[in-house]
Amino acid sequence: MSRLDRLLTIPLVLFGLVVAGVLAALVTEVTPAELLGSIVHPETLYALRFSLLTSCAAMASATMLGVPAAYFLARHDFPGKGFMETLLDVPLVMPPLIAGVGLLFLFGQGMMGGHLARMGFYLVLSPWGAVAAQTFVATPIVLRSAQAAFASVDRGYEEAAATLGLSSLQIMIRVNLPLAARSVLSGLVMAWARTMGEFGATLMVAGATRFRTETLPIAVYLNISSGETGIAVSCSLVLLSAAFLLLLSTRLLNKPQPENHLHQRRSSWPNWN
Amino acid sequence: MSRLDRLLTIPLVLFGLVVAGVLAALVTEVTPAELLGSIVHPETLYALRFSLLTSCAAMASATMLGVPAAYFLARHDFPGKGFMETLLDVPLVMPPLIAGVGLLFLFGQGMMGGHLARMGFYLVLSPWGAVAAQTFVATPIVLRSAQAAFASVDRGYEEAAATLGLSSLQIMIRVNLPLAARSVLSGLVMAWARTMGEFGATLMVAGATRFRTETLPIAVYLNISSGETGIAVSCSLVLLSAAFLLLLSTRLLNKPQPENHLHQRRSSWPNWN
Amino acid sequence: AQDLFMYCGAGLRQPVDELLNTYFQQTGKKVNVEFGGSGQQITRFKATGQGDIFLPGSHFYVDQLKEMGQVTFSLPVVLHIPVVAVNKGSAEKVKTFADLAKPGIRVGLGDPKAMALGRTAEDILDNSGLREAVLKNTVVRTATVKQLTLYIVKGEVDAGIIARADGCQNQDKLVYFGVDPSWYKPDIVTAAVLKTSPQPEEARKLAEFLGSPASVEVFGKYGFLPVK
Amino acid sequence: MAELELIGVKNRFVQRTDLHVPDGETFAIVGPSGAGKTSLLRIIAGLEPHEGRILIDRSEVQSVPANRRAVGMVSQDLHLFPHLTVEGNLFLAMSRSDCSRTVRRRRVSDLMELLRITHLAGRKPATFSGGEKQRTALARVLASAPRLLLLDEPFSKLDFRTARYLRAEFKNLQAQLGLTSIIVTHDIEEAADLARTVSVMRSGLLTVSGCRTGQDSQAGNPVELFLETPNLLTCRPIRNLGNGLVEAEWAGGILHIPDEGQPFSSFTVKRRGVEIGPAPPAGPRINRFTGLIRQVKINDDSAMILLDVNSAILRVETTPEDWTRMGLSEGNTVHGLMKLRALEACCPIISSRDMPK
Amino acid sequence: MAELELIGVKNRFVQRTDLHVPDGETFAIVGPSGAGKTSLLRIIAGLEPHEGRILIDRSEVQSVPANRRAVGMVSQDLHLFPHLTVEGNLFLAMSRSDCSRTVRRRRVSDLMELLRITHLAGRKPATFSGGEKQRTALARVLASAPRLLLLDEPFSKLDFRTARYLRAEFKNLQAQLGLTSIIVTHDIEEAADLARTVSVMRSGLLTVSGCRTGQDSQAGNPVELFLETPNLLTCRPIRNLGNGLVEAEWAGGILHIPDEGQPFSSFTVKRRGVEIGPAPPAGPRINRFTGLIRQVKINDDSAMILLDVNSAILRVETTPEDWTRMGLSEGNTVHGLMKLRALEACCPIISSRDMPK
Ligand SMILES: Nc1ncnc2c1ncn2[C@@H]1O[C@H](COP(=O)(O)OP(=O)(O)OP(=O)(O)O)[C@@H](O)[C@H]1O
Ligand SMILES: Nc1ncnc2c1ncn2[C@@H]1O[C@H](COP(=O)(O)OP(=O)(O)OP(=O)(O)O)[C@@H](O)[C@H]1O
Ligand SMILES: [Mg+2]
Ligand SMILES: [Mg+2]
C-alpha cells in the first residue's frame, strides 16, 4: 500500500471503529435473556415481518417512481427544472415526524381521505399508510442517486444503441440502466436501509397498533417510551442483524459479477506513489 | 417528447404532486400568526442557526471521513471487505433513536466518556454531541454514494494520469474526484439534507436544551410532543424553506458549469421513439 | 452556584415553562430544562449519570427510578386524569363512554406500554365491562397522547381516551367528558430529586416549588387537576 | 438497399451540402482533422441537429429519430456496450429484427466468423485490444441490418493485413447485400479501393470529385488538391522498346512509360513524381520537359503548381520550402523531369495491385 | 534521454521478451490485432503486472510505480481528462515539473502550436474530433517531459497530411531532445519512416528485425513475413542506357533498373512486384528469370514463396488463390518477371519520397 492508501485507511478505520463501538455498546447493554426474549417474542417477529414487507413494498413503489423520474430529469431540460428538482429534494430534509404529519393531513379526512375512502382505499392508520410513508421517504433518495447515475453515463452508448435501431424503452432498460446500475443500486440500498430504520413518518401515518402497523423501529420506539431500554435495544439488534444479513448476502451474491469491472483492464488497482 | 418520455413524466409528476401536496397540507395547517410567530421567535432563530452550524460541521467531518474511506474501498480488495462494507452500512438502517442510544452509551460515562472528559472533550449533552450524532448518520450516506461514484470512474484516466507522473494524491484530487464529482456531490447533498432533518440521534446524544443544543428538528419534535402542532409545523416550514433556498442556490450556482456535459457532444438529448 | 438541570416530560412543557420563569424571577436560580419523552429521558439519565430533578407526566417513571435507587426525594405535583375526547364532528354520536362501543365508531387508544394513558385506558376498559366492544372499534394505538389527540382533532378517529390537559388545550376542536373515577387510578405528575444531583438542597427546593399550591394553580390553567 | 440524398444539409460544423449516393454504392470521405466528417455522418444518422433535407429511398427522414432510420453507424469511439459480451452486443443489435431465434443465432455466429472474433464471443469488450473492439463494432452494426451504413474510420486500428481482408469481405458483402455506405477514412488507398466516389471535406465543406484518377478535375479543385490525385494524361504510344519501356508522345515530346503488357492511350503521373526547377534537374536524360507556371497554391505543407506543358496541364506538388528555394513564380518557365517510377500506363482493366482477388 | 532494456519480460499476453532500445532511438512495433502490442507498452509503462526485469538507464524499474517512471504513454483510448480544457490537461501533465509558471505557460503554448491545437486551448475534449483528441493527447504526453515515450497508434486518426507533418515534427523533436520512444502503428510506411528498428509482434511474441530493408533477414522470419519487406538484392550495374534505365547484372542475368540519377550497388524489389507462374508470364520481355521454389508458406491471406534464382534468394508474395491456381509446389521451377515499377535502386542517400524536408 502506498502512503496515500495508508492515510486513506485512517478515516475508514476510525469510522469503522465508531460503528463497531456503537454496536458493541448496544450489545453490552442488553442481557442475553432480554435479547432472547425479544427474538422469540411473537411481537418482535411480527414487527420484523411487517418491516420487511412494508419496506419491500415501499421500495418497489419508490423504484417505480424514482428511477423513471430520474431518467427523465437526467435527460431533459425545461424551464423550472432546478426548482422542481429542489422540490423533490425537500422530503430528504423533512424531519420524519413532519413528513408523517404532512402525509396525514394530505391523505387524512381533511383533504383526500374522503375521496380515497370512497375508492375503497384506506391509507391512514392502515398498513398501506406505512408503505406510503416509507415510499415518501425513500423515493427522493432513489431519485437523486439514480439521476446522478444516469447523468454520468456516456451518451455515446445511447447514440450507438439508437443507430442500431433500439427503441427508447430498450435503450433505457438494456443500455442506460445497466450502465448506471452501480450507482442506482447503491441508491436503492440506501433508500431501503432508510425505510427499514424509518419510524417517524410511519408512526404518524399508520399509527403504532401492535400486530397491525408495528414496524421494528416503532417497536423500538414504544419500548424506549416505556423506559425499557433493554428490550428496545434488543429489538433494534434484531432489526440490524436482519438488515446486516440481507445486505451481506446481496453483496456476496453480486460479488463475482464482472460488471464491477466495467472499464478496467486490470483486476486490481496498482499502487502509485 | 417521445411516448416513453411522456410515460416517464407520470411518476415524476405523481411524486411531485405528492410532495407539493404534503407541503400544501402543512402550510394550510398553520395560521399566518403562528408562522410569523415562529419565524421571529428567538428560539426558532437560534435553532435554525444551530442546525445550520452543526449540520455544516457534521458534513465537514462526514466528508473527511466518508470520501477518503470510499476512495480506499472503491480501489482495494481485501479479505472481509464485504463484511466491512456491510458494517459501514449498518448506521443507515439504525433507527436514529437507537443510533443516539448507542453513541450515548459509547461516549457516555459507561465507556469512553470518562477518557474524553479527561481530555477536556465533552461530547454528551454538548453541542459537539449534535455534531457527532449527525456525523454518524451522514457518513455512511457520503461513503456509499462516493464509493459507487469512484468505482464507476473509468480507470483509464487514472492510468493516464499516472503515466504523466501525477502523485497518488494528485490523481485522487485532480482526476478521480472531479470525474466522480456529480455522484459524490449528490451523496453530500443527501447526507446534508439528512443531517438537517435528523433529530433522533441528536436528541439522544446532545439533549434538547434550549438555546444550547436545540436544532430545528428537535424544536419541531418538542412542539409535537407538547401538542403544539401548529408551532411544530411552522418551525419545520422555516427549516424546509431554509433548506430549499440553500439547495436551490447551490443548484443555480452550479448550473452553467459545463461539467454537466462531461461526455456529450450534443447539448440536449434527442428523442428516440 | 451552578444551574439546575431538569428532565421534564414534554407534555408538561407549557406550565413548566411558565413556572420556571417565575422561579427564576423569585430566586434568581436558573434551571436548564430538557423536555422529552420520559422513557427516553430515563435512558439518557442512565447513560449520562447527570441531572438534578426529574418531572415526568406519570409517577410510573419515578417508580422505575426509585426501584433503581436513583431517587432521594419525591413529591406528587398534579393529577393527570383521563377523559374521553370526541371530534367535534362526531360529538352527536359519542356522548357517553358506552357510546364508544357502538358499532361504526372509530376509536383510538394509546399504546398500553409506551404511554401512561394507554395503561390507564386498559384499566378503564377492564372496569367498564365494555372491553371487547371498544377494542373492536379501536382502529389505532398510538405511541404518544399527542399523536392520539392529533388523530381526534383531525377526525381520523371519532374518539379516544386522552389526558384532560390535552382535551383542555384543544377545546376548540374537540369535546371531552370524564370517565367514572372508580375505573382507573389517576397518573400523578411527580417531581423527583435525583441521586446524582450535586446540589440536592437546591433541587429539593425546586421540587417543593413545583408542588406548591401556587404552582398547582398554574398547572390548573392547562387542564391539570390538583392532587387531593 | 437504399439511396441517400442530402439537400442543403448544414449545421454549425457542416456547410451546405448536397449529395447523392446511389443505391448500392460506397461513398468515401477523406479530409483533414476537424473538417466535419464525423459531424456529417452524425447528421445523416440522426444524431445531430441540422437544417436541410435528408432523403433515404426518396422519403424524407430528417425528422425521423435515429432509431427509426435504419442507418447503422460505427463511430470513431465505437461505444461497444461494456456490460454485454460480444454475443450480447450482437444480439442486442438484432433486437429490431423479427427473425427466429435460430436464425439470429446463426447470423451472430456467421458475423463473428466473418470478422474473426469468434474466439471473443463470451468476453466483454472492456479488455479487448483496439482492433478487437473495432471488429466487434463492425459485426454489431452489420447485425443490425441497416439500410445505410456509415463507417467512421472503421479499419484504422487494424493491421494492414486484417484491414485488407476486411475490406475485401466488406466489398463482397456489399455486392451481395447491395449495401449503400459512406466511409470516412484517412487512408486514401483504402478510400480508392472501397469507393467509386471519393470526396474531400475541408472546413465543413464537402467536395465531391469523380473517380480517383480525376477525369473531370479542374485545376485547384479541393478534391484534387487534397487527394494528390495523379495527373491523368492522354498520350499516343509510338512503339514498345522491348526493354520494358514504351515510347509515347505527350505534349509534343517523347516519354518513356513502363510497359504493363497491355495497350494504353493514357497514363498517370504522380504529382510528387515530377521534379521541377529553374534549371534542368539532375537525373536520367529521358522524360524531360519544359513548361510554364500557370498557377501556384501554397498550403501549410505543400505547394501545388499548375504547369502548362505545350497546352497540356500538369499538376506538380512540392514542399513550400522547396518552392521558396526555387525562387520561381507564376509565368516563369520551368524545367521538369518525370520519374520513371511515378509513371503508370492506364490499362483498360483495373490493376489488381494490392488486393487479394 | 534514456535507454530501455527488457529482460525476460512476460505475462499472460506477452511471451518472454528481451529487448534493447538504445538512447535516443525510436523502435517501432507492428503486428496483427490482439497480438499484445498494447500489453507490452502497458508493461513498460508500469500499468500491467508481469515477470522479468525492465531497466531504464540501467536501473531496474519493474517495481517502480507508473507515476515514478517518467515513461509517457499515449494509449489507444487517449483518456484525455474530460473535466479540463486542453490547457488544463497540459498544465496538469506538467505538475511534476519544477519550472516557473511563466516557463510552463510558454511550454504549453509552444506545444499547442506544434500540434496545431491552439484554437482548441480553452475547450474541453468531449466535443473534439478524433484527430483533435489525438493531437491533444500527444501534446499532453510531451508536456509531461517523459524519459521514454510510448505511442500506441498515435497518428491513426489523422489525415495523411497532418500525420506527415506531425511525423516530421516528431522526428525533429526527437532529434532535439534525444527522446527514446516506442511506437505501435499499423502503417508500415510510418514505422519505417520513424524508426530505425521495426519489429513485429504476433501472438505475444516480439520479433526484432534489422532495418526495414532487412539486411539480416532469413527466410520465413516473421518480421519479414509480416512486413512484406522488399527483397534487398545485390547487383552489379553495367551501364546507364540513357533512356532512364540502368542495365545491371543480378543472379547471372541482366536486369533493367530505373535510373535514380545516383550510382548504386543494390536494389530492392517488392514481393508483390514479382509475377511468377509455371509458364513465362505475359508482359515486357525484360527483367525475366527462372528459379526454383525452395519454400512455400501459406497464410490466411497470402502465400509466401521463397525462390532460388541462381543461388540468389528472392521472396515473392501472391494470394493463396493464385498460388493454388498455379498448381506448383516446392522443388518446381517457375518463370518470373520483375515489374519495372517494383524495382528501386538503393542509393546511398535516403530517398525523400513522401516527406517534407
Ligand atoms: N459541441 C461542439 N462544440 C464545439 N465544437 C464542436 C462541437 N462538436 C464538434 N465540434 C467541432 O467541429 C469540428 C468538426 O468535428 P468532426 O468531429 O466532424 O471532425 P472530423 O472531420 O470527424 O475530424 P477527425 O478526422 O479528426 O475525426 C471539430 O473542430 C470539432 O472540434
Ligand atoms: N484482462 C484481459 N483478459 C483477457 N484477455 C485480455 C485482457 N487484456 C488483454 N487481453 C487480450 O490480450 C490480447 C492482446 O491485447 P493487446 O491490447 O495487447 O493487443 P494489441 O496488439 O494492442 O492489438 P491492437 O492492435 O488490436 O490494439 C488481446 O487478444 C486481448 O483480448
Ligand atoms: Mg471524426
Ligand atoms: Mg493495441
Side-chain angles (χ1 to χ4, degrees), chain D residues 33 77 129 131-132 135 157-161 186 188 225-226 242-244 259 272 284 286 302 322 343 357, chain E residues 33-34 131-133 135 157-161 164 186 188 225-226 242-244 259 284 286 302 322 357:
Chain D
S33 182
D77 297 329
S129 83
E132 287 164 350
R135 283 177 285 157
K157 291 176 182 171
L158 297 169
D159 61 297
F160 75 97
R161 253 164 228 282
H186 288 311
I188 287 167
L225 286 178
F226 188 85
N243 60 357
D259 179 12
R272 289 182 170 262
I286 55 155
S302 64
D322 281 354
L343 289 172
K357 263 152 221 154
Chain E
S33 183
E132 287 165 351
K133 283 186 194 155
R135 284 177 284 158
K157 291 177 183 170
L158 297 170
D159 61 297
F160 77 98
R161 253 163 228 280
R164 193 167 65 191
H186 289 310
I188 287 167
L225 286 180
F226 188 84
N243 61 358
D259 179 14
I286 54 155
S302 63
D322 282 354
K357 261 154 222 151

Side-chain angles (χ1 to χ4, degrees), chain D residues 129-131, chain E residues 37-39 76 152-153 184:
Chain D
S129 83
Chain E
K37 305 180 292 297
T38 300
S39 302
Q76 272 170 309
D152 204 347
E153 305 180 15
V184 169

Side-chain angles (χ1 to χ4, degrees), chain E residues 208-234:
Chain E
V208 182
S209 93
C211 308
R212 65 185 271 237
T213 40
Q215 275 95 336
D216 53 359
S217 63
Q218 308 156 267
N221 175 329
V223 182
E224 298 298 303
L225 286 180
F226 188 84
L227 283 184
E228 305 195 331
T229 317
N231 295 277
L232 179 72
L233 305 168
T234 320

Side-chain angles (χ1 to χ4, degrees), chain B residues 29 43 97 101 104-105 108-110 124-125 203-210 221-229, chain C residues 5 7 10-11 13-14 17 32-37 40-41 43-44 47-50 146 150 154 166 169-170:
Chain B
E29 196 58 23
E43 193 176 328
L97 277 173
V101 171
L104 193 63
F105 289 162
Q109 295 307 310
V124 168
L125 304 187
L203 181 72
M204 271 294 166
V205 180
T209 318
R210 294 188 179 178
Y221 171 72
L222 289 182
N223 280 308
I224 286 192
S225 301
S226 59
E228 295 166 281
T229 317
Chain C
F5 190 89
Y7 295 104
R13 184 158 135 177
Q14 285 117 321
D17 264 349
N32 284 323
V33 59
E34 191 187 301
F35 294 102
Q40 261 155 269
Q41 292 187 329
T43 307
R44 281 172 45 66
T48 59
Q50 293 174 30
K146 307 297 175 187
L150 187 65
K154 282 284 150 191
D166 296 303
Q169 286 163 29
N170 290 287

